[in-house]
């Protein structure tokens, strides 16, 4: 295992050169006016850059571990397998989805790929990285009880992880599957406990009742809660979006009114952005908000895929306040108070109706289509007190929301791995635990490796955000890769379970359903790739 770190550092430099060469090739040969027609090439570049950055961040994790004298054989195997596998994918066919493999020639990088393959460190990883021997050695360590290093060299962050892991193991994990099967809402008492622990105010300033810990702490909380049940990890997303919207763009009065209640969990918000015919095309949004004579607002229109709508107290609603401006400039955000569901009436407010959307997974909060017909919003409900700023205000929150979604995906990926490993160690066939069969062991080895890679890329995006830097590309990369890993792990976990994986009584069936949504919400994978490609081509 000697020499792995120096080789990884050299391969990392070669990867950065490859991505830069590919970016220049796309700039020289792709027609920006035909971006939609050339999506495959542009998105291929985005995926290549994502994989390169992910390996760089994994190498950073290994280097930091070495500095703390905590880089053991297992961590080195993870590094070795990851570089070997992802380099092979880059050069031979990188999966953008289950049936879309993108190759360097697709983004004009065939020559750059040949140069990459001839780098001595890259060639070593291609030959010796993701080998049968490496995977077998990693699984042997797992069977013996070894687990990869996860310390962050920060006492506060490590304590946050420990606290939320204990909480999730005691209050969520034992009950999550029965709640999922019954399609129950997250119990009110559990929501209260989460509020008391600070789940909803992790990033809110202490002056407004939050913890003020930043995005990396938010990632840890989301990861641990989602590892128990995606629903509990996701409940904080709505508070994350609303809290960042109000803290970043709200008036002092709006901050004082809403942020303390959001931070404590007394006020549960929901994000009301998507419309039936627009999806990610926010410029085509139609829901209207008009001023009444008394200064209040009237909302008319339809929204869909609104999570946790019935039990929420506050809606952050993206509306068109200037019908003469059909684009982004005519949009505003309203902070709309509403009444929680009552027995027998999910939407008791006048002018607001809703119907539940049945879903495969991602239960516990429920999805709704909403209809607004003269719904009233207080005069001071316009976010920031200024019309036409809604799109800009919302864009600022997408980074945090996508980082948090990546962290949720990492939690789901861990859960799939946990379940697959436990089942493979317990299940016996032909006189042996099935983990001793190489096709089973290989699935688990790669599941572990990719989960750590996705985690480190997600933490990198969070650290970038915490440093006050723009990170739409980093957030997009984290969500893009982590969502793919969550789905891959869940699918592999079902396969490890065999027929039992298809049975509702086994938890892996829930994880599979939950994992699938991660590639869709908070911006589908294709949207993330478009964001990353646009950022790469704009870079100097």
């Amino acid at each position: 295992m000697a020499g792995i770190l120096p080789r990884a550092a050299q391969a990392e430099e070669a990867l950065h050169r490859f991505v830069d060469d590919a970016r220049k090739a796309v700039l020289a040969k792709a027609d920006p006016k035909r971006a939609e027609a050339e999506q495959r090439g542009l998105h291929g570049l985005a995926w290549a850059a994502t994989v390169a950055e992910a390996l760089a961040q994994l190498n950073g994790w290994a280097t930091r571990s070495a500095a703390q004298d905590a880089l053991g054989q297992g961590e080195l195997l993870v590094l070795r397998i990851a570089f070997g596998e992802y380099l092979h994918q880059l050069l031979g066919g990188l999966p953008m989805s289950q049936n879309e493999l993108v190759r360097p020639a697709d983004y004009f990088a065939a020559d750059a790929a040949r140069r990459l393959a001839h780098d001595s460190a890259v060639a070593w990883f291609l030959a010796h990285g993701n080998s049968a021997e490496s995977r077998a050695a990693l699984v042997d360590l797992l069977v013996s009880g070894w687990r990869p290093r996860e310390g962050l060299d920060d006492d506060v962050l490590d304590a946050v992880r420990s606290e939320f892991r204990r909480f999730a193991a005691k209050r969520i994990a034992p009950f999550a599957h029965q709640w999922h099967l019954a399609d129950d809402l997250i119990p009110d008492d559990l929501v209260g406990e989460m509020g008391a622990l600070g789940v909803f105010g992790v990033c809110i300033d202490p002056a407004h009742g939050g913890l003020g810990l930043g995005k990396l702490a938010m990632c840890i909380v989301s990861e641990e809660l989602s590892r128990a049940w995606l629903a509990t990890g996701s409940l904080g997303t709505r508070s994350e979006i609303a809290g960042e919207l109000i803290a970043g763009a709200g008036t002092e009065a709006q901050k004082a009114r809403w942020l303390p209640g959001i931070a404590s969990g007394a006020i549960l918000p929901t994000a009301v952005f998507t419309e039936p015919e627009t999806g990610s095309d926010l410029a085509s949004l139609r829901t209207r908000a008009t001023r009444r004579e008394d200064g209040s607002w009237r909302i008319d229109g339809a929204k869909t895929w609104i999570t946790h709508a019935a039990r929420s107290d506050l809606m952050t609603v993206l509306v068109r306040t200037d019908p003469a401006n059909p684009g982004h400039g005519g949009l505003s955000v309203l902070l709309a108070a509403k009444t929680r569901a009552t027995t027998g009436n999910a939407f008791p407010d006048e002018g607001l109706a809703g119907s539940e959307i049945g879903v495969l997974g991602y239960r516990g909060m429920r999805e709704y289509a909403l209809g607004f017909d003269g719904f009233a919003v207080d005069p001071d409900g316009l976010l920031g007190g200024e019309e036409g700023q809604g799109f800009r205000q919302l864009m600022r929150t997408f980074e945090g929301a996508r980082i948090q979604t990546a962290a949720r995906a990492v939690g789901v990926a861990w859960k799939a791995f946990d379940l697959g490993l436990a089942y493979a160690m317990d299940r016996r066939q032909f006189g042996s635990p099935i983990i001793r069969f190489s096709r089973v062991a290989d699935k688990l080895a790669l599941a572990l490796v990719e989960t750590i890679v996705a985690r480190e890329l997600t933490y990198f995006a969070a650290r970038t955000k915490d440093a006050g830097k723009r990170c739409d590309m980093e957030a997009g990369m984290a969500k893009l890769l982590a969502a793919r890993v969550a789905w891959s792990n869940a699918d592999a976990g079902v396969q490890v379970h065999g027929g039992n994986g298809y049975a509702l009584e086994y938890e892996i069936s829930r994880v599979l359903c939950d994992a699938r949504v991660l590639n869709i919400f908070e911006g589908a994978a294709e949207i993330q790739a478009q964001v990353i490609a646009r950022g790469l081509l704009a870079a100097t």
Side-chain angles (χ1 to χ4, degrees):
M1 301 293 283
I4 298 291
L5 278 181
R7 286 192 179 99
Q10 182 180 330
E12 179 185 333
E13 291 180 6
L15 279 164
H16 288 315
R17 289 194 298 271
F18 168 76
V19 171
D20 190 51
D21 288 346
R23 184 183 70 84
K24 291 174 182 176
V26 170
L27 280 170
K29 297 182 180 181
D31 182 355
K33 295 179 181 179
R34 301 182 66 250
E36 290 186 3
E38 297 187 7
Q39 274 189 347
R40 182 175 181 81
L42 294 176
H43 291 191
L45 174 64
W47 269 103
T50 296
V51 166
E53 190 61 67
L55 289 176
Q57 295 311 314
L58 183 70
N59 191 34
W61 166 73
T63 302
R64 290 190 300 274
S65 297
Q68 296 294 322
D69 197 25
L71 185 68
Q73 182 186 9
E75 286 77 17
L76 285 170
L77 284 166
V78 167
L79 187 69
R80 178 174 177 166
I81 293 169
F83 267 81
E85 175 58 27
Y86 279 5
L87 283 166
H88 268 295
Q89 289 185 13
L90 261 179
L91 295 169
L94 185 59
M96 296 194 296
S97 70
Q98 280 73 15
N99 65 351
E100 294 173 287
L101 294 179
V102 65
R103 298 173 176 87
D106 292 324
Y107 48 97
F108 314 110
D111 290 341
R114 281 189 284 271
R115 290 192 294 272
L116 177 65
H118 282 96
D119 178 271
S120 60
V122 169
W124 187 91
F125 280 113
L126 290 171
H128 307 291
N130 183 20
S131 65
E133 294 77 14
S134 295
R135 296 190 300 273
L138 184 61
V139 171
D140 283 345
L141 286 173
L142 288 169
V143 171
S144 72
W146 168 85
R147 294 297 179 269
R149 181 175 186 262
E150 58 189 8
L152 289 160
D153 307 321
D154 183 304
D155 291 342
V156 172
L157 294 175
D158 289 342
V160 167
R161 185 188 298 281
S162 295
E163 181 175 9
F164 278 93
R165 182 168 293 178
R166 285 194 299 270
F167 173 75
K170 180 180 179 181
R171 292 290 293 117
I172 302 171
F175 316 106
H177 200 56
Q178 67 190 53
W179 291 332
H180 163 83
L181 292 176
D183 197 14
D184 286 337
L185 289 168
I186 301 169
D188 285 328
D189 59 345
L190 181 59
V191 175
E193 292 178 53
M194 291 169 64
L197 282 172
V199 169
F200 308 115
V202 173
C203 296
I204 293 177
D205 194 294
H208 295 295
L211 299 179
L213 291 178
K215 302 302 181 186
L216 185 52
M218 176 266 292
C219 282
I220 296 166
V221 171
S222 301
E223 179 185 336
E224 293 301 328
L225 294 176
S226 298
R227 192 170 184 168
W229 188 24
L230 177 59
T232 48
S234 296
L235 187 57
T237 311
R238 270 121 289 284
S239 297
E240 171 74 15
I241 293 171
E244 190 160 354
L245 270 173
I246 297 168
T251 65
E252 292 304 315
Q254 288 169 340
K255 294 175 186 178
R257 178 181 179 185
W258 296 112
L259 290 180
I262 292 172
S264 70
I267 294 172
L268 298 178
T270 187
V272 185
F273 307 143
T274 306
E275 295 189 359
E277 302 300 326
T278 61
S280 296
D281 182 14
L282 296 179
S284 300
L285 185 141
R286 298 178 181 177
T287 297
R288 287 280 311 279
T290 53
R291 281 276 196 185
R292 290 170 164 164
E293 290 184 2
D294 62 359
S296 65
W297 294 89
R298 171 192 173 116
I299 302 179
D300 294 279
K303 298 286 188 178
T304 192
W305 293 111
I306 309 306
T307 305
H308 210 225
R311 197 163 56 167
S312 63
D313 311 287
L314 169 66
M315 298 182 290
T316 53
V317 192
L318 188 65
V319 293
R320 187 167 299 283
T321 52
D322 183 2
N325 187 337
H328 294 141
L331 303 178
S332 304
V333 172
L334 293 182
L335 304 176
K338 64 173 287 293
T339 305
R340 286 195 191 191
T342 61
T343 303
N345 191 351
F347 296 96
D349 292 305
E350 184 177 350
L352 178 63
S355 57
E356 186 177 347
I357 302 171
V359 291
L360 291 171
Y362 193 46
R363 299 175 181 177
M365 293 178 291
R366 299 182 184 165
E367 305 293 325
Y368 293 90
L370 300 182
F372 293 88
D373 184 10
F375 181 80
V377 179
D378 292 343
D380 61 354
L382 179 64
L383 180 63
E386 184 179 358
E387 291 186 40
Q389 299 300 307
F391 183 77
R392 295 183 184 88
Q393 292 165 345
L394 191 58
M395 288 301 101
R396 297 189 195 110
T397 73
F398 278 176
E399 293 177 349
R402 286 170 178 169
I403 292 169
Q404 202 258 8
T405 301
R408 287 185 280 169
V410 171
V412 172
W414 276 125
K415 184 66 173 181
F417 168 76
D418 293 340
L419 292 171
L421 178 63
Y423 188 87
M425 291 175 66
D426 290 342
R427 177 74 167 174
R428 299 181 68 87
Q429 291 283 281
F430 308 106
S432 298
I434 63 172
I435 199 168
R436 291 306 178 188
F437 303 137
S438 60
R439 287 293 305 280
V440 172
D442 284 352
K443 289 178 177 63
L444 294 169
L446 267 295
L448 174 69
V449 168
E450 288 205 287
T451 303
I452 296 172
V453 172
R455 182 190 70 189
E456 294 308 310
L457 185 60
T458 300
Y459 289 178
F460 166 63
R463 290 186 180 103
T464 305
K465 183 72 171 176
D466 282 338
K469 300 176 183 177
R470 181 176 176 179
C471 63
D472 51 347
M473 274 206 306
E474 293 84 352
M477 287 177 173
K479 184 186 182 299
L480 186 68
L481 184 62
R484 189 188 78 179
V485 170
W487 174 248
S488 175
N489 280 16
D491 185 54
V494 169
Q495 194 70 21
V496 168
H497 280 69
N500 287 335
Y502 206 61
L504 290 176
E505 67 181 281
Y506 282 82
E507 284 191 87
I508 193 65
S509 67
R510 177 189 86 242
V511 176
L512 183 77
C513 292
D514 285 350
R516 189 61 189 89
V517 75
L518 292 160
N519 234 331
I520 299 172
F521 64 12
E522 303 298 340
E526 293 77 9
I527 296 297
Q528 305 307 317
Q530 191 77 5
V531 169
I532 297 163
R534 187 169 61 239
L536 288 167
L537 298 182
T540 56

